[in-house]
């Protein structure tokens, strides 16, 4: 009997063990499903974040490339404008030099006219310019402005130039 009691006790423990094992396996499987679901959800979220980050990085790269192209374009425009303005400055300097020399020559001629150094029979060097100046209705003002002499011109400048040209 003792043997049968011990066997019954062992069978009972075996049944309890198997039922507890089944319960633990069932709990483990449920926990495994839950954790797998959490991991899957986290992986999807992570993948979505990676995709979003990749899109953001791609967009930033495209923006950087566009800005780089625009900067290069603006640099070329700047160089073109700089060349254009340097050429304009050079032309202006040459024009100023030319006009300054003409102005000096005309001033010298006017001083000679005023002082009477030019002989009546001496031909003028630049009759076309003198004629152009004489035809200008504002001749006296032009003479005064070019020579920076106000009120020192005796008589009518046109008459003086005509007399010298005779």
């Amino acid at each position: 009997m003792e043997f049968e009691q011990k066997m019954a006790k062992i069978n009972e423990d075996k049944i309890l063990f198997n039922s507890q094992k089944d319960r633990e396996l069932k709990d483990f499987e449920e926990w495994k499903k839950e954790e797998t679901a959490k991991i899957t959800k986290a992986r999807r979220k992570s993948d979505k974040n990676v995709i979003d980050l990749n899109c953001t990085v791609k967009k930033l790269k495209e923006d950087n490339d566009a800005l780089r192209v625009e900067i290069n374009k603006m640099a070329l425009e700047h160089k073109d404008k700089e060349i254009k303005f340097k050429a304009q400055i050079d032309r202006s300097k040459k024009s100023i030099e030319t006009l300054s020399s003409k102005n000096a020559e005309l001033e010298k001629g006017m001083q000679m006219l005023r002082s009477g150094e030019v002989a009546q029979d001496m031909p003028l060097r630049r009759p076309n310019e003198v004629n152009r100046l004489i035809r200008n209705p504002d001749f006296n003002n032009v003479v005064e402005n070019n020579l920076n002499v106000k009120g020192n011109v005796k008589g009518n400048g046109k008459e003086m130039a005509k007399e010298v040209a005779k």
Side-chain angles (χ1 to χ4, degrees):
M1 259 231 70
E2 245 181 74
F3 176 75
E4 288 177 4
Q5 282 180 349
K6 285 185 179 182
M7 279 303 280
K9 174 93 167 128
I10 288 177
N11 282 336
E12 196 178 297
D13 285 343
K14 187 178 176 184
I15 291 172
L16 267 171
F17 174 77
N18 284 334
S19 68
Q20 188 176 357
K21 180 180 96 173
D22 289 341
R23 224 176 327 145
E24 289 292 326
L25 279 173
K26 187 177 179 183
D27 289 344
F28 175 74
E29 290 297 324
E30 285 180 24
W31 177 82
K32 184 178 170 184
K33 281 182 185 179
E34 289 173 4
E35 290 302 312
T36 304
K38 287 179 187 177
I39 291 171
T40 304
K41 186 176 179 182
R43 186 177 295 137
R44 282 188 204 139
K45 188 174 181 180
S46 173
D47 289 347
K48 184 178 182 233
N49 288 341
V50 167
I51 290 170
D52 290 345
L53 286 174
N54 285 341
C55 288
T56 303
V57 168
K58 184 178 179 182
K59 187 173 189 301
L60 288 174
K61 284 181 181 178
E62 289 172 357
D63 290 346
N64 285 344
D65 291 342
L67 288 173
R68 199 172 288 118
V69 166
E70 188 170 339
I71 288 170
N72 289 337
K73 179 182 172 186
M74 291 175 80
L76 289 174
E77 288 176 1
H78 176 71
K79 285 180 185 177
D80 290 344
K81 286 181 181 180
E82 188 174 356
I83 290 169
K84 176 184 167 187
F85 291 137
K86 281 184 179 180
Q88 180 64 37
I89 289 170
D90 290 342
R91 284 193 301 272
S92 296
K93 283 180 180 178
K94 286 179 184 176
S95 176
I96 288 170
E97 289 173 4
T98 303
L99 291 173
S100 293
S101 66
K102 284 183 183 180
N103 193 17
E105 193 174 318
L106 287 173
E107 189 174 322
K108 184 178 177 183
M110 289 304 295
Q111 287 175 351
M112 290 173 67
L113 284 174
R114 260 195 247 115
S115 66
E117 293 176 17
V118 176
Q120 294 287 336
D121 57 344
M122 179 186 241
L124 291 174
R125 289 186 191 176
R126 296 180 178 228
N128 289 338
E129 283 194 31
V130 172
N131 287 335
R132 183 179 53 84
L133 284 173
I134 292 172
R135 279 189 231 121
N136 186 350
D138 199 23
F139 178 73
N140 287 332
N141 289 337
V142 170
V143 170
E144 287 177 1
N145 288 338
N146 284 340
L147 298 177
N148 294 324
V149 177
K150 299 210 182 221
N152 292 339
V153 178
K154 295 181 180 176
N156 187 341
K158 288 182 184 179
E159 293 172 6
M160 287 174 56
K162 285 179 184 177
E163 288 177 20
V164 171
K166 288 181 185 178

